Structures are given as structure tokens and as C-alpha cells.
Amino acid sequence: MRGTSATRPGAQVLSLDTLVRLKRERTASGAPRRLPVPEGMTVPLGCDAVAVPAGFGPLLMTRLPRVGCVYADGAHWWWLVPSESDVVLDWPAPAHYAAGAVVPDTVHAPGLIHKPAGTLPYTPPIPLYLALCRVTGTTPVWSRPISA
């Protein structure tokens, strides 16, 4: 459109590809912050995390037969689950699935608020998924109608 471009002489115009590359470099420049597995625990199945708003945390705790390591940062509770616990599961909003148990940059790192007995830090993903579906009023993926 004529008259809407207000570039200064000599100003550099950045393409969308350049902006995306710069964002990725900026994101990749800081080391990712992973939830630490407590000393003495092992992760033979790898480790991912599911974050839920803090208000859902206590509701989920009472609905689970086994609770693994749980971390909190004030806004969210983070549950350690085996790697690839997102395969075929559509985690309901407002949950956030974090591959590699990588948490976003926050002012305060999530702190451990629950550690299970034993050496495995995992909360079983299916019971966690079902409990989260229950508290959010979401139908589990396998109970949804199939369309042709």
C-alpha cells in the first residue's frame, strides 16, 4: 500500500525467515531448565512432565492411586511422567505437556513438593490423564465419537 511504509533510509528490513531464525537462536541460547530428578531415583523410561494450573494440583493428588515427583512454582504444578506419555493422548487444556521435563523460563524454578517412596519418580500417565479429564470436564480421547 502506498504511503503506509515508514522505513527510514538505510533501515534494514527483516524477512519472516530471519525473524524466526533469530527467535530460535535466542531461545536456544539459554540452557533449557529441566526438572531435576531427586538423587537416588532412576528414569529408565526417560522423563517428561505435565504442567497444570496450581489450583488443579490438590484435586489431582486426591484422585491418583500413585503420585510420583511433583514440583510447584506458584502458578503450576509439574508432574513427572515417562517419556512419550503424550503419544495418543490429547492432554486437556489447560494442561501443558513438556517433553524432556523442560520448563519455561520463570523467575523461580519449580520446587519439589512431593517425592514418592522408591526409586521411580513417575506418576502413571493414564491415571493422571483420567483425573485431569475429570477435573476439567473433558471426555478422554478414546471415549470421543469417531467421525468418518
Side-chain angles (χ1 to χ4, degrees):
M1 295 177 132
R2 190 181 312 163
T4 59
S5 177
T7 57
R8 294 174 290 145
Q12 181 180 9
V13 177
L14 300 176
S15 71
L16 183 57
D17 289 339
T18 302
L19 292 171
V20 169
R21 181 182 53 76
L22 290 171
K23 171 138 176 49
R24 285 184 181 152
E25 287 175 0
R26 194 180 107 214
T27 303
S29 65
R33 184 184 312 183
R34 297 182 191 280
L35 293 172
V37 176
E39 191 172 323
M41 299 193 110
T42 61
V43 287
L45 302 175
C47 201
D48 289 346
V50 176
V52 300
F56 289 140
L59 298 172
L60 294 173
M61 288 284 264
T62 62
R63 288 177 162 81
L64 294 171
R66 181 185 188 286
V67 177
C69 289
V70 181
Y71 301 79
D73 65 6
H76 296 93
W77 283 27
W78 298 82
W79 308 76
L80 291 186
V81 294
S83 288
E84 299 184 5
S85 292
D86 60 335
V87 174
V88 211
L89 290 180
D90 184 15
W91 290 88
H96 169 73
Y97 191 85
V102 175
V103 298
D105 289 333
T106 57
V107 175
H108 300 289
L112 183 66
I113 61 170
H114 183 269
K115 179 183 172 192
T119 61
L120 296 176
Y122 307 124
T123 295
I126 299 297
L128 178 60
Y129 173 80
L130 290 172
L132 189 56
C133 284
R134 179 81 177 211
V135 300
T136 61
T138 304
T139 302
V141 70
W142 53 79
S143 296
R144 296 179 191 154
I146 298 174
S147 61

